[in-house]
Amino acid sequence: MNPFQFTRVTTPKAAITAITKESGTYFLAGGTNLIDLIKREVIKPERLVDINKLPLATIEKTATGLRIGAMAKNSAVADNELVRKHFPLLSMALNAGASAQLRNMATVGGNMMQRTRCAYFYDTSMPCNKRSSVQAGPDKGQANGPAGCGAIGGHNRMHAIFGTSNKCIAVHPSDMCIALVALDATVNVSGPKGDRKIPFSEFHRLPGELPQKDNTLQPGELIMSVDLPTNQFAEHSHYLKVRDRASYAFALISVGVGLDMKGKTILNARLAMGGVAHKPWRLTAAEEFLKGKAATEANFKQAATLAMQGAKGYGENDFKLTLAPNSIVDALKTATKTA
């Protein structure tokens, strides 16, 4: 492991100041992803800024919904009474992720910032545009390995079918983020230029020509909290995760569903998928179609067909083109209790 400096801060202002002083500086929260990246030398930090003492772990009701601090542990959020009662989709998604030990360490902000688990990204001898670019993240040019996307034409069973580019077909690994994008969350951040709000659907980004950029944070910005607006989806929510084994495995396909229903009629719908894109993938066309429709299998299948427009397989992951729509239908059936 390469030597690095270590700084501990106790206020958001001090954290922002510390990370903007020099390049190669990273925030350290639970470390459940960052430490792996350091061990594999995917990143080589000059300094780690420990933010575990920041007072950002509260979960509190607000006038418009719920605010979750960026330092709240995944397990604490999943088990919180307000979350389980009013936002069960989030609780389900969190409990589907990783293992109990990791959920006890991982934070909400860290979960949002985690990098792809693409094998080519983690192997510094293999080609990867996310890792090799001289513009890559806060490390500003600590390039590892050759350029290119090894997954295109290589082993790509876990990879994206939506929003890809010729630079990258990696997927975002989070379960929590699928629920947050479906629930119309807002991210509150603070940085050298002040505070701002980012709609969760705009927080993560597609690879395009800059696959090394996972999100829309500006240099030196710190995630403070996430706001969830009040909704009517609590009675009809479901998170379906299809994976190779029942625990500690990333999604081949995941589907988050929240429905507002009156009898058998869907008044409003929220759907998102994981395991399919470089960012949490919101299914807006399917949502619009389902509004005002009866909760029938025929309507679910049509919504799934709309959701799959633009999907493209890369060989080993072609099975997702069938698994994804089937999973959407299955998740909708469960959410409406019409299986």
Side-chain angles (χ1 to χ4, degrees):
M1 183 178 288
N2 296 285
F4 56 83
Q5 297 183 53
F6 182 85
T7 302
R8 179 174 287 127
V9 295
T10 57
T11 67
K13 183 178 179 180
I16 293 165
T17 299
I19 205 168
T20 54
K21 279 184 177 180
E22 57 187 295
S23 63
T25 303
Y26 295 80
F27 289 133
L28 173 65
T32 56
N33 184 209
L34 181 63
I35 301 304
D36 286 342
L37 295 170
I38 295 172
K39 286 180 177 179
R40 301 289 289 270
E41 296 191 338
V42 175
I43 63 171
K44 301 174 184 178
E46 299 292 331
R47 178 189 298 271
L48 295 183
V49 178
D50 185 346
I51 57 175
N52 282 284
K53 297 295 184 181
L54 299 188
L56 301 176
T58 57
I59 304 170
E60 56 189 359
K61 191 174 182 179
T62 66
T64 57
L66 193 70
R67 173 164 290 180
I68 302 172
M71 293 300 297
K73 303 295 187 184
N74 285 184
S75 56
V77 177
D79 294 339
N80 180 270
E81 183 179 353
L82 291 172
V83 174
R84 294 178 65 183
K85 181 178 180 181
H86 300 291
F87 304 94
L89 178 59
L90 177 57
S91 182
M92 286 184 248
L94 282 165
N95 280 325
S99 64
Q101 294 91 333
L102 286 172
R103 292 194 296 271
N104 285 336
M105 287 296 297
T107 63
V108 168
N111 191 314
M112 292 165 56
M113 294 293 291
Q114 65 181 304
R115 309 299 304 275
T116 182
R117 262 55 177 197
C118 173
Y120 294 96
F121 175 70
Y122 269 83
D123 186 343
T124 57
S125 69
M126 299 300 291
C128 176
N129 290 318
K130 289 182 71 65
R131 193 188 60 244
S132 67
S133 172
V134 295
Q135 304 177 56
D139 51 346
K140 299 186 185 300
Q142 293 180 4
N144 288 306
C149 178
I152 298 177
H155 295 296
N156 51 44
R157 180 172 177 270
M158 300 292 294
H159 287 69
I161 56 174
F162 290 108
T164 59
S165 76
N166 61 0
K167 301 289 186 182
C168 179
I169 61 171
V171 296
H172 185 72
S174 172
D175 293 292
M176 178 195 78
C177 291
I178 307 307
L180 290 178
V181 76
L183 294 169
D184 286 322
T186 299
V187 186
N188 301 304
V189 303
S190 186
K193 297 180 180 179
D195 302 336
R196 68 184 181 112
K197 296 179 180 293
I198 308 172
F200 203 88
S201 60
E202 299 175 13
F203 182 83
H204 298 96
R205 61 181 300 281
L206 296 176
E209 293 297 310
L210 297 172
Q212 68 273 14
K213 290 181 65 65
D214 291 335
N215 56 64
T216 56
L217 284 176
Q218 299 299 315
E221 285 189 325
L222 172 69
I223 301 170
M224 302 291 286
S225 61
V226 174
D227 287 339
L228 290 170
T230 301
N231 64 64
Q232 303 300 317
F233 307 134
E235 292 185 14
H236 298 285
S237 294
H238 184 62
Y239 187 75
L240 172 66
K241 184 175 182 179
V242 183
R243 47 187 163 175
D244 288 326
R245 55 184 182 272
S247 178
Y248 199 55
F250 297 101
L252 294 168
I253 295 288
S254 64
V255 183
V257 177
L259 301 174
D260 177 13
M261 299 185 65
K262 184 176 182 180
K264 295 295 183 179
T265 302
I266 299 170
L267 303 179
N268 203 357
R270 293 288 184 272
L271 290 93
M273 274 199 294
V276 296
H278 195 258
K279 63 182 288 184
W281 196 250
R282 182 80 174 263
L283 308 181
T284 52
E287 291 174 355
E288 289 300 318
F289 171 78
L290 288 170
K291 288 182 182 179
K293 299 290 196 307
T296 65
E297 184 170 353
N299 283 333
F300 296 160
K301 287 182 176 179
Q302 192 165 341
T305 299
L306 289 170
M308 294 303 295
Q309 290 180 353
K312 175 186 176 183
Y314 285 85
E316 289 183 355
N317 71 345
D318 287 352
F319 71 94
K320 290 189 178 185
L321 300 177
T322 301
L323 180 61
N326 289 345
S327 298
I328 293 170
V329 172
D330 190 34
L332 284 166
K333 284 183 177 180
T334 303
T336 55
K337 299 178 176 64
T338 59

